[in-house]
Amino acid sequence: KTRGTQPPSNEHVEVLAELGRSCSNQNKYEDAEKYYKEAVTVCRKFTGGTTSATNHYDVLALLIFTLIDERKLTAACNLTKKEYMSKTPDKQNETLAAIAKKLEECNRADLAKQLRGAK
C-alpha cells in the first residue's frame, strides 16, 4: 500500500492486476478477487476509471470474470449491470458480449440475456 499523501502510482494497479491474474491462473479465485477489488479501488482513485493506463487492463472486467470463475454468477451479473450499463455503449459492447458469453458457458443463458437485453 502507498504511504503518505501522494496518489498511488499506475504501477501499483499493474502489480495488483498481475497478482490477480497469477492467482486466477492457479485457480485461487478468492485471492484473485481480493487483488482485483483492490486494483479497482486504486485505479479509481488514480484515474477515476477502472482501466489502468500501462497495459490497458480493465481491472473491473477481470474482477467480473473472476466472480464468474468462482461461480458467483448473480454477483457478477449485478456488478456488470451496475458498472457497465451506465457507460458509453460503443466502448462497452465488446466487454458486455464477453461477459455474456462466459455466463452462457456456465449454463446461465438467463443472466447473459439480461446483459444483452440491457444494451
Side-chain angles (χ1 to χ4, degrees):
K1 302 203 184 231
T2 57
R3 303 177 106 194
T5 59
Q6 294 296 319
S9 70
N10 194 52
E11 289 79 21
H12 187 73
V13 174
E14 297 301 322
V15 169
L16 290 169
E18 285 300 325
L19 286 168
R21 285 174 48 124
S22 177
C23 289
S24 184
N25 288 340
Q26 297 173 50
N27 298 324
K28 296 178 181 179
Y29 300 120
E30 286 184 26
D31 292 335
E33 180 182 347
K34 177 184 77 167
Y35 288 121
Y36 289 141
K37 282 181 178 178
E38 188 174 347
V40 167
T41 300
V42 172
C43 203
R44 283 186 171 148
K45 286 180 183 177
F46 186 65
T47 67
T50 62
T51 303
S52 63
T54 306
N55 289 323
H56 305 288
Y57 288 141
D58 185 338
V59 290
L60 181 62
L62 294 172
L63 170 60
I64 291 168
F65 285 117
T66 297
L67 291 172
I68 293 170
D69 289 338
E70 288 181 279
R71 297 301 188 248
K72 296 179 180 178
L73 305 177
T74 302
C77 187
N78 290 339
L79 185 59
T80 301
K81 288 179 186 177
K82 177 184 173 197
E83 297 290 341
Y84 285 105
M85 295 304 133
S86 64
K87 308 259 183 189
T88 313
D90 293 341
K91 185 173 190 267
Q92 301 306 326
N93 281 344
E94 187 176 315
T95 302
L96 286 172
I99 293 168
K101 181 179 178 188
K102 185 138 178 139
L103 287 168
E104 286 174 339
E105 291 169 359
C106 294
N107 296 316
R108 289 304 304 262
D110 58 323
L111 294 177
K113 185 177 179 182
Q114 288 179 28
L115 297 181
R116 289 195 170 109
K119 288 185 195 175

